[in-house]
Amino acid sequence: MQKKFDRGLERTRWLAGITVFAVLGLVGMLANPYVISLMTIVLLFTFLGQSWNLMLGIGGQLSIGHALFVGLGAYSVGVLYVKYGISPWVGLLTGMILAGSVGASIAWLSFRFEVRGIYFALLTIAAAEFARIMFSGWEFVGAMQGLFFPAPTGGIEISMLRGDARFYYFVALALAALGIIGTEFISRSYLGYVWRAMRDDESAARALGVRTFQHKILVISISAATAAAGGGVLALVQGSIFPDSIMGMGLSVDVLIGPVVGGLGTTFGPLVGSLAAIPLNHLMSALGDSLRIPGLNNITYGVVLISVVWFLPDGIWPAIVRLCKAIQAPPTALLWQSRKVEE
Amino acid sequence: MTTLLEVENLSRSFGGLVAVKDVSFSLRAGRITALIGPNGAGKTTCFNLVAGALKPTSGRVLFEGRQIDNSPPETVCRMGIARTFQIVRPMREMSVLENAMIGAFSWTRNVSEARSKAYESLESVGLAAKAHARTDQLTLPDRKMLETAKALSTRPKLLLLDEVMAGLRPTEAAGIVGVLQKLAEGGLTILLVEHVMRIVMEVASRVVVLHHGAKIAEGSPGEVVADPKVLESYLGAGFHA
Ligand SMILES: Nc1ncnc2c1ncn2[C@@H]1O[C@H](COP(=O)(O)OP(=O)(O)OP(=O)(O)O)[C@@H](O)[C@H]1O
Ligand SMILES: [Mg+2]
């Protein structure tokens, strides 16, 4: 019976996924420029959140310095395009390889010397800050003055990944869909199983033959490479790159808000979380401006974050899933699920 | 019969405490051997040394003639040694079935193959009906059986079981004893830590006795329970086999 129930849930998931993306597609075609630009950011941070979520939610490795990888992706696209006119596609690929290698190197060094858990997380901040400071002083990449993409000419140029706001909305939508499908795919493959095992209990996983050293490096480099892809597109969308915003601590935090609010380790969590958090932030920021209450957005943001963590500690998405299960499942199944066996 | 595992003069100390002291024994393929001794005798430490979770202070461990005491646990597992943890370690966010699948990924990358191996392992320890439960819905004896199923999914040649029958009712324990005997008939070698002497007498063809980290006796179950040193240090004066 459990199996049949799971299959029903499975169908609901697919339906929900397709509906959500159909609606997002319509939004892209019909919405006004403000909504389009806001939703582009939501979708990009869905993708970035997905990348971060893969690493912590499935692989069990906490990064608080994801801005490093985002920044490497952005600068790869920016430098190659602005300085040499090379297509952003090449820049994206370069950024992914670069960030993947940097991620793998940090992971290798760290785990080789048994730096793990929260100490590893501190190392990721240190690496990101180091890179930010380095890029801030590096004239070739524009230092503090940043890099500027030439203004778009109007038309859509797929080969150069250039176009108007609506074009970038659909690029971001494709990226978010790819992130969700990719996460689901990895999650169901053997990698998903061994990574979750490693996340839940590293030494028990090793006793079952999981080569955790290699797998940690793998999950971190995949996460880094995908974050770089998101960073590359983010740079194109914003039209400029500044070290403080693209590689700063603030960006590292923005990346993890979506999955933390939406649901750690879940496939849809980053989307749900970004949808909830980013528009709220913008709305409160606008409201704060018109009411002349500076910082209103940050206060609201903080209150909402704390409430979510307090009332829905595993995030919004798992709460939605629980609700759906409660509506669909026969009461006996609910009884069985809530019964805790005493030890 | 061939020797599968050789433990040679194995010692391990923690600071000033010598947990395992110059222990030697060997395991023959296809047999069930019991490792017994009072609390703190060094049984779990011995397991950790064999499984690569701890490095010995001195001495060697040979598996199929190859020295393994410098290998990390995942390598030892992939060579064919699986172990359970005395203090159970389920992967909490994964279902019972998913827990039992992990070990199979040491020899396959095919998810459905791993899933059917996991069902088979769960079946053999009597947990198949609870495959879709969460691990926190299991009783402690069931969690110990899950440890066993997880280890079985790695397709081991040697299985190290650390008090997996603790807390089972006698009829349940008898069922597991039957399973272990069948596995041994199929060629699996088992080293078992067990406090219930009745079970030891029933399943083990050989017994190794540890006391304060040192081996004080080894032999058939009958020989061991008749040994005055064992009677005095472990079984107590009132024991009758
Ligand atoms: N990691 C460790 N650090 C320090 N001391 C340890 C460690 N592991 C075990 N010991 C000590 O080594 C001795 C042997 O412990 P071990 O767990 O091997 O005994 P055991 O025979 O398995 O006992 P039990 O029957 O209680 O499980 C004990 O004195 C224990 O306190
Ligand atoms: Mg023990």
Side-chain angles (χ1 to χ4, degrees):
Chain A
M1 188 180 82
Q2 181 71 18
K3 261 217 151 138
K4 214 161 81 195
F5 172 50
D6 281 350
R7 216 171 293 136
L9 191 73
E10 175 79 26
R11 221 183 25 235
T12 323
R13 274 167 72 91
W14 272 105
L15 267 171
I18 291 168
T19 313
V20 166
F21 277 91
V23 169
L24 289 172
L26 279 176
V27 167
M29 287 186 276
L30 305 174
N32 66 35
Y34 174 76
V35 173
I36 291 274
S37 73
L38 180 62
M39 285 302 293
T40 304
I41 296 299
V42 167
L43 291 170
L44 280 178
F45 276 89
T46 298
F47 180 75
L48 291 173
Q50 204 69 260
S51 128
W52 182 85
N53 200 29
L54 188 71
M55 189 165 143
L56 180 69
I58 301 181
Q61 309 304 312
L62 173 61
S63 156
I64 332 177
H66 244 49
L68 167 61
F69 309 126
V70 175
L72 286 175
Y75 275 106
S76 298
V77 169
V79 167
L80 289 179
Y81 183 65
V82 175
K83 300 251 162 190
Y84 303 104
I86 297 172
S87 166
W89 288 108
V90 178
L92 284 176
L93 195 69
T94 311
M96 289 176 76
I97 294 170
L98 184 65
S101 321
V102 168
S105 313
I106 294 174
W108 187 88
L109 268 176
S110 174
F111 302 136
R112 171 73 186 70
F113 296 102
E114 308 273 323
V115 174
R116 56 180 78 203
I118 196 69
Y119 300 101
F120 171 75
L122 292 176
L123 196 69
T124 62
I125 304 186
E129 282 297 278
F130 172 79
R132 182 183 64 81
I133 292 164
M134 194 180 96
F135 277 71
S136 302
W138 191 5
E139 290 302 333
F140 176 69
V141 300
M144 289 297 279
Q145 285 71 46
L147 273 182
F148 292 87
F149 289 83
T153 47
I156 291 172
E157 236 186 309
I158 303 263
S159 67
M160 291 306 265
L161 208 58
R162 300 285 280 159
D164 58 5
R166 203 177 297 278
F167 171 73
Y168 283 126
Y169 175 88
F170 281 102
V171 169
L173 183 61
L175 215 49
L178 221 66
I180 285 177
I181 293 167
T183 305
E184 193 74 348
F185 181 76
I186 289 179
S187 201
R188 288 160 189 238
S189 77
Y190 94 99
L191 288 176
Y193 287 88
V194 299
W195 288 354
R196 285 191 295 269
M198 161 172 104
R199 168 199 70 191
D200 283 2
D201 191 330
E202 187 175 337
S203 48
R206 293 180 72 181
L208 294 169
V210 180
R211 287 183 281 223
T212 55
F213 184 77
Q214 282 95 322
H215 279 293
K216 284 195 282 189
I217 292 178
L218 184 64
V219 72
I220 290 165
S221 41
I222 292 179
S223 176
T226 47
V233 176
L234 186 64
L236 286 168
V237 168
Q238 293 179 334
S240 57
I241 305 172
F242 300 101
D244 281 355
S245 56
I246 203 84
M247 273 182 176
M249 277 292 296
L251 196 109
S252 293
V253 173
D254 288 341
V255 165
L256 58 84
I257 295 280
V260 167
V261 170
L264 213 60
T266 63
T267 304
F268 289 104
L271 174 65
V272 174
S274 301
L275 268 175
I278 296 173
L280 179 77
N281 191 17
H282 280 238
L283 192 74
M284 285 302 145
S285 166
L287 199 67
D289 284 348
S290 62
L291 297 178
R292 291 172 205 277
I293 312 175
L296 180 66
N297 61 327
N298 289 334
I299 294 168
T300 324
Y301 212 41
V303 170
V304 170
L305 281 187
I306 290 169
S307 324
V308 168
V309 172
W310 188 265
F311 293 110
L312 301 170
D314 53 357
I316 299 175
W317 176 249
I320 296 175
V321 171
R322 272 198 303 274
L323 193 72
C324 293
K325 278 190 183 177
I327 293 166
Q328 278 199 347
T332 45
L334 274 183
L335 262 179
W336 177 81
Q337 282 202 327
S338 60
R339 201 188 72 207
K340 284 240 166 84
V341 178
E342 306 287 320
E343 210 173 79
Chain B
M1 268 198 186
T2 52
T3 302
L4 189 65
L5 183 87
E6 282 164 86
V7 170
E8 292 177 356
N9 308 104
L10 203 59
S11 297
R12 169 72 202 213
S13 34
F14 297 106
L17 177 91
V18 187
V20 171
K21 205 181 310 174
D22 203 26
V23 169
S24 301
F25 62 86
S26 59
L27 302 181
R28 286 205 182 159
R31 279 211 192 170
I32 301 180
T33 306
L35 184 61
I36 66 169
N39 292 113
K43 306 179 293 291
T44 299
T45 305
C46 254
F47 270 25
N48 284 331
L49 291 168
V50 171
L54 284 175
K55 302 275 167 269
T57 313
S58 64
R60 301 200 301 166
V61 180
L62 300 161
F63 182 65
E64 295 182 313
R66 284 197 285 173
Q67 191 170 349
I68 60 165
D69 48 70
N70 258 319
S71 305
E74 59 273 24
T75 309
V76 173
C77 171
R78 282 160 176 267
M79 291 173 82
I81 302 181
R83 59 92 54 93
T84 66
F85 289 93
Q86 181 178 357
I87 297 165
V88 296
R89 303 177 76 156
M91 279 58 178
R92 297 186 168 282
E93 305 283 320
M94 300 173 81
S95 71
V96 168
L97 179 67
E98 289 175 324
N99 264 273
M101 287 168 70
I102 303 161
F105 292 114
S106 63
W107 51 267
T108 181
R109 288 182 177 183
N110 182 317
V111 174
S112 55
E113 198 172 9
R115 191 174 292 122
S116 52
K117 178 68 197 176
Y119 270 118
E120 185 191 313
S121 306
L122 290 173
E123 189 81 57
S124 67
V125 300
L127 270 184
K130 294 170 184 159
H132 293 281
R134 288 195 315 264
T135 58
D136 60 4
Q137 294 171 315
L138 296 182
T139 60
L140 187 59
D142 275 353
R143 284 187 218 187
K144 297 219 162 199
M145 283 303 120
L146 177 57
E147 283 288 310
T148 311
K150 281 159 77 177
L152 283 174
S153 291
T154 66
R155 285 191 178 161
K157 295 171 190 157
L158 168 63
L159 180 60
L160 309 174
L161 298 174
D162 202 344
E163 296 188 25
V164 287
M165 285 178 263
L168 288 187
R169 283 190 291 269
T171 49
E172 292 169 325
I176 298 306
V177 163
V179 170
L180 297 185
Q181 281 166 335
K182 211 185 303 158
L183 288 168
E185 275 163 30
L188 181 66
T189 310
I190 297 173
L191 180 63
L192 164 98
V193 169
E194 182 51 62
H195 278 297
V196 181
M197 277 312 284
R198 193 175 32 74
I199 294 176
V200 172
M201 302 297 291
E202 194 184 340
V203 291
S205 55
R206 266 191 106 63
V207 180
V208 173
V209 189
L210 293 184
H211 185 50
H212 290 317
K215 184 174 93 174
I216 58 165
E218 181 178 355
S220 69
E223 286 164 4
V224 161
V225 295
D227 191 313
K229 276 193 302 236
V230 178
L231 282 171
E232 183 193 336
S233 61
Y234 180 43
L235 299 173
F239 180 81
H240 303 287

